[in-house]
Amino acid sequence: TRDLMKWCHRVDLLIGEKLNDNTEVGMDLALRQDLFSEANDCFCGMIPDYNVWMTVLEALGRPLQISEELVRNYVDQYKPALEVDESTIRIGRVNLSSIAASGKQKQKQALIKREKKRPFATTGHALRLMERIAVCIHLTEPVLLVGETGTGKTTVVQHLADMIHQNLIVVNLSQQSDSSDLLGGFKPVDGKVLAIPMKEEFERLFEKTFSVKKNGKFLEMVRKTFIHQKWSNFVTLLKQAVKMSQQKFEAEQNAECKRVSSPTLRNAWKTFAKKVEEFEVQQVQSQNKFVFNFMEGSLVKAVRQGDWILLDEINLATTETLECLSGLLQDAHGSLLLTEKGDVEPIKRHPNFR
């Protein structure tokens, strides 16, 4: 039943527009073949035996009036078209241009530039697999790829991520893997580990709010206190920056400037001020002993930032480890809840997360 519902959902989203256009014309062959392709993915994707697969395909073809010759042709000859240029990325029956555009945008903001693309042979098998995965990416469906070692499961996903400018995180699972590897957990940390995200956030906000040239000396002081790990001075300077931002926002309101800072920026500074206070408390605690802080795992980071996550050798992981994925796999809006951290609100899922 679940496969049938999935097929109906896909038909509704992918072929619904075409059906509306063709109300008078009836169902032409191209449309029936699209319906057949989706049925093949939903009902036959998990059939390992070739003969059984062919029998089911022929049975699916009959009500769609697709002859056995056409079905055999589909199995032996079908090769999806691949169209990749600056503005479009199309693989067979699915267009991924919009996802690629947001990926490009994200890549521009990233500090780390991607390495050159690896060579990839677009064989018929690889293209068919790419098309199947691309449909799942388009519809935010999770995918399970099964096959022997070295058949290109990971490579196809890596190539797709490169094409669409998405960041792909690969996690190798084993029998020793723990749910904390994916979700994170409390770990003993020193001041430097906690200070790095503070400094990055500070630099990002400061650049958006003030002139970097005029405040060169101030930024240099922040940098030096960070390098020499003088945390009390570091906190004082961060608090001063928060104060400066508040004064600037107040001045803008009173003078009714034409250029007023956006509400998002103001909220970001407010959140930052809270983080500075938390950091100060942690530094006081850590002077005489280790501080334990919740370090987020790779899965949580991917959900937040909108990266793709690939769990390699997932069959080796224990049931307890995989249990933490159940919330994400329910549907396209499934989310994660960090109960270990004491959270009551689930993590906001980024629309680009796959």
Side-chain angles (χ1 to χ4, degrees):
T1 320
R2 189 175 58 182
D3 295 336
L4 178 65
M5 295 307 291
K6 192 174 191 174
W7 183 61
C8 294
H9 179 64
R10 282 180 166 215
V11 170
D12 184 39
L13 287 178
L14 293 170
I15 309 168
E17 295 157 16
K18 292 182 193 174
L19 284 170
N20 292 341
D21 298 342
N22 293 354
T23 37
E24 291 164 23
V25 188
M27 305 246 291
D28 60 350
L29 183 63
L31 190 59
R32 296 205 304 275
Q33 277 177 330
D34 277 354
L35 291 168
F36 178 72
S37 301
E38 295 308 335
N40 173 27
D41 281 5
C42 291
F43 304 129
C44 310
M46 71 298 290
I47 300 175
D49 187 277
Y50 180 81
N51 294 325
V52 177
W53 181 51
M54 279 307 302
T55 311
V56 177
L57 280 185
E58 284 167 6
L60 286 172
R62 271 178 229 124
L64 291 169
Q65 294 173 1
I66 294 172
S67 64
E68 288 182 15
E69 292 76 32
L70 266 176
V71 171
R72 296 229 169 246
N73 185 48
Y74 174 83
V75 171
D76 302 330
Q77 308 292 327
Y78 175 65
K79 193 175 176 182
L82 179 65
E83 188 188 333
V84 180
D85 56 41
E86 278 302 302
S87 56
T88 34
I89 290 178
R90 194 177 186 89
I91 304 158
R93 59 186 192 269
V94 69
N95 190 343
L96 296 175
S97 307
S98 57
I99 302 175
S102 66
K104 258 191 182 167
Q105 199 61 36
K106 195 176 165 190
Q107 208 182 343
K108 275 182 191 167
Q109 296 163 356
L111 302 171
I112 305 156
K113 291 287 168 253
R114 297 289 282 273
E115 73 274 10
K116 274 223 168 93
K117 285 182 182 176
R118 291 168 282 259
F120 184 85
T122 50
T123 59
H125 169 76
L127 280 172
R128 284 192 290 275
L129 182 56
M130 265 170 75
E131 184 188 35
R132 282 180 161 188
I133 299 172
V135 174
C136 295
I137 287 165
H138 180 61
L139 299 175
T140 326
E141 291 176 359
V143 197
L144 178 67
L145 299 178
V146 182
E148 293 298 319
T149 307
T151 50
K153 300 184 294 293
T154 305
T155 312
V156 166
V157 179
Q158 280 171 335
H159 183 66
L160 259 170
D162 280 346
M163 271 168 53
I164 309 173
H165 314 287
Q166 287 292 334
N167 190 23
L168 176 73
I169 297 168
V170 181
V171 181
N172 274 357
L173 296 174
S174 67
Q175 281 151 340
Q176 280 71 45
S177 297
D178 191 55
S179 61
S180 64
D181 299 343
L182 296 174
L183 298 179
F186 282 97
K187 290 174 185 161
V189 289
D190 68 343
K192 188 89 184 266
V193 176
L194 298 173
I196 291 169
M198 295 295 298
K199 184 172 176 284
E200 285 172 357
E201 177 78 352
F202 161 73
E203 284 171 351
R204 192 177 64 82
L205 288 175
F206 199 89
E207 225 172 82
K208 284 185 178 175
T209 318
F210 304 101
S211 156
V212 176
K213 259 190 187 173
K214 288 178 186 172
N215 296 289
K217 273 186 183 175
F218 179 72
L219 290 170
E220 186 57 25
M221 277 161 70
V222 174
R223 198 179 68 83
K224 279 183 178 170
T225 53
F226 174 77
I227 290 169
H228 300 305
Q229 301 195 13
K230 293 182 175 169
W231 302 127
S232 54
N233 297 356
F234 181 65
V235 168
T236 311
L237 289 171
L238 293 187
K239 282 186 168 177
Q240 197 178 325
V242 171
K243 214 175 188 181
M244 282 159 63
S245 72
Q246 287 169 346
Q247 286 167 353
K248 186 179 183 229
F249 297 147
E250 279 169 17
E252 281 176 353
Q253 273 182 331
N254 298 339
E256 292 181 354
C257 299
K258 282 181 184 174
R259 285 190 67 189
V260 178
S261 306
S262 68
T264 5
L265 188 61
R266 292 171 185 227
N267 290 336
W269 273 106
K270 276 180 191 168
T271 317
F272 180 68
K274 282 179 193 166
K275 283 182 186 170
V276 173
E277 281 171 18
E278 282 170 20
F279 177 71
E280 189 178 17
V281 172
Q282 283 170 327
Q283 289 318 315
V284 173
Q285 289 172 346
S286 68
Q287 276 164 9
N288 43 15
K289 57 186 181 295
F290 255 139
V291 157
F292 278 82
N293 193 44
F294 191 89
M295 308 301 280
E296 289 184 347
S298 38
L299 178 66
V300 175
K301 284 178 186 165
V303 173
R304 262 190 218 288
Q305 295 163 7
D307 296 332
W308 293 6
I309 192 152
L310 175 73
L311 304 174
D312 227 339
E313 312 288 356
I314 196 166
N315 51 310
L316 297 179
T318 58
T319 323
E320 291 79 31
T321 309
L322 298 180
E323 187 55 44
C324 68
L325 298 172
S326 57
L328 281 177
L329 300 177
Q330 276 167 4
D331 57 24
H333 308 291
S335 60
L336 276 177
L337 182 63
L338 295 178
T339 43
E340 295 88 343
K341 194 180 171 186
D343 282 4
V344 285
E345 287 289 320
I347 290 161
K348 197 164 186 255
R349 180 179 174 144
H350 195 286
N352 285 354
F353 169 73
R354 299 287 184 277

